[in-house]
Amino acid sequence: MNKAGNRARDFGIVTLAYVAGTVVGWLVFRALAQDHSSIVAFAAADAAATVVVFAGSVLCNNSSMYDAYWSVAPMVIAPAIAMSPEAAGAPVARRILVTALVLAWGARLTWNWARGWHGLGHEDFRYVDLRRSMGRAYWLVSFLGLHFMPTVCVFLGCLSLFPALATGTRPLSWLDGAAFVVTAGAIALESRADAELRAFRLRNDVPGKILDTGVWAYCRHPNYLGEITFWWGLFLFALASDPGLRYPLVGPAWITCLFVFISIPLMDKRSVARRPGYADHMNRVPALLPRLPRKAKG
């Protein structure tokens, strides 16, 4: 089988795992929905779906099976909340707007993953390094750290969807407009950053070269900035729908800490090791908060 055929087969395997996870999640939700709060029922369903995808990772011996879950899960959760009986009192316009933004974000991010995915013969470098260091404990660590923990992070971010799509009943206001600007702007920034990164990788054949043009000239991780801002935008929708709630704040705060204290240091450390000029690049260009680029020394 040629490379294209292998990728098509592997996409089929991943899709089957995600569909199976969705079905199991739906069954769990149905079993719990009548006797538990919607948040508890959705959380249990999300966890059950993660276990199914993890089983697929083990069977295929590749933890990257999970990578698309980050963007796929909210595309299932948001419409399910918006169409639930609990959402009957929520403004229809807000339900449509928020759901459309989540679907736009998820579809774009999933497509960006899909077009850059090399198939099940390839695994994220971080997972490969973890295999080497963890030995026999790898799959336990993979389940807790590479599968379950990201699911928790995404679900915490999705907490904003419960008031925004269901329990919040306040009519649309200027804060919804601000939330739309922030959320749509985040999607646009992340799209621009990913497009520039993809174009750079396709045309660049110089080892160690650093992308420092376009939005990448203003901060080292504009794609992460867009991702973080998206979740804060959803929080603003939650705030607009029910200003008295504070629990949705946990999601964007947690995701911000994840990127600031784990993802960015890890990516910067790898880039310093692989790109000779990256340490100077770090001095000139901030990690997240944009500023005008400084000139290189010398």
Side-chain angles (χ1 to χ4, degrees):
M1 188 179 294
N2 58 30
K3 186 178 294 186
N6 287 335
R7 287 186 79 241
R9 178 204 62 194
D10 292 349
F11 271 120
I13 294 172
V14 173
T15 301
L16 180 61
Y18 279 55
V19 170
T22 301
V23 171
V24 170
W26 178 78
L27 292 173
V28 170
F29 176 80
R30 286 290 301 271
L32 298 177
Q34 291 187 348
D35 299 323
H36 298 80
S37 71
S38 60
I39 292 179
V40 170
F42 273 106
D46 198 12
T50 300
V51 171
V52 174
V53 175
F54 173 71
S57 294
V58 174
L59 289 173
C60 294
N61 194 30
N62 191 324
S63 292
S64 283
M65 170 82 73
Y66 178 87
D67 288 351
Y69 195 88
W70 180 280
S71 55
V72 170
M75 289 195 290
V76 177
I77 293 171
I81 297 173
M83 294 186 293
S84 66
E86 193 176 17
V92 175
R94 183 182 291 124
R95 281 193 276 165
I96 294 173
L97 181 60
V98 174
T99 301
L101 286 168
V102 172
L103 292 177
W105 165 84
R108 190 213 65 81
L109 197 58
T110 303
W111 166 245
N112 189 65
W113 163 81
R115 66 180 178 172
W117 189 55
H118 300 291
L120 291 172
H122 176 268
E123 192 173 32
D124 189 290
F125 76 91
R126 292 165 293 186
Y127 309 163
V128 174
D129 291 343
L130 202 58
R131 280 179 184 271
R132 293 171 183 158
S133 60
M134 290 293 102
R136 293 182 178 180
Y138 170 72
W139 281 112
L140 176 61
V141 174
S142 177
F143 174 69
L144 295 176
L146 305 182
H147 291 73
F148 192 71
M149 183 54 68
T151 289
V152 171
C153 291
V154 172
F155 190 79
L156 290 177
C158 287
L159 289 177
S160 295
L161 298 177
F162 289 93
L165 295 174
T167 60
T169 57
R170 289 177 66 94
L172 267 68
S173 67
W174 66 268
L175 189 53
D176 288 282
F180 173 79
V181 170
V182 171
T183 309
I187 296 171
L189 173 59
E190 202 169 3
S191 301
R192 176 73 177 271
D194 285 342
E196 290 179 354
L197 179 59
R198 178 174 172 78
F200 173 78
R201 286 173 172 171
L202 289 175
R203 71 171 181 265
N204 176 52
D205 58 358
V206 180
K209 189 174 181 180
I210 299 167
L211 174 56
D212 58 0
T213 57
V215 294
W216 295 83
Y218 299 94
C219 65
R220 297 196 304 275
H221 304 281
N223 50 346
Y224 290 170
L225 176 61
E227 184 68 17
I228 291 169
T229 306
F230 170 79
W231 296 103
W232 283 106
L234 293 186
F235 170 71
L236 291 179
F237 276 115
L239 203 62
S241 64
D242 190 342
L245 293 180
R246 290 295 176 266
Y247 74 83
L249 181 63
V250 174
W254 182 271
I255 290 172
T256 300
C257 290
L258 171 70
F259 280 103
V260 170
F261 297 111
I262 298 178
S263 296
I264 289 176
L266 184 63
M267 294 302 292
D268 281 345
K269 181 179 179 180
R270 185 170 189 257
S271 293
V272 167
R274 298 172 68 236
R275 297 179 171 89
Y278 197 81
D280 180 60
H281 178 68
M282 290 176 65
N283 291 328
R284 292 186 294 106
V285 181
L288 272 182
L289 298 180
R291 70 165 180 240
L292 292 175
R294 297 173 180 173
K295 293 183 178 180
K297 295 181 179 180

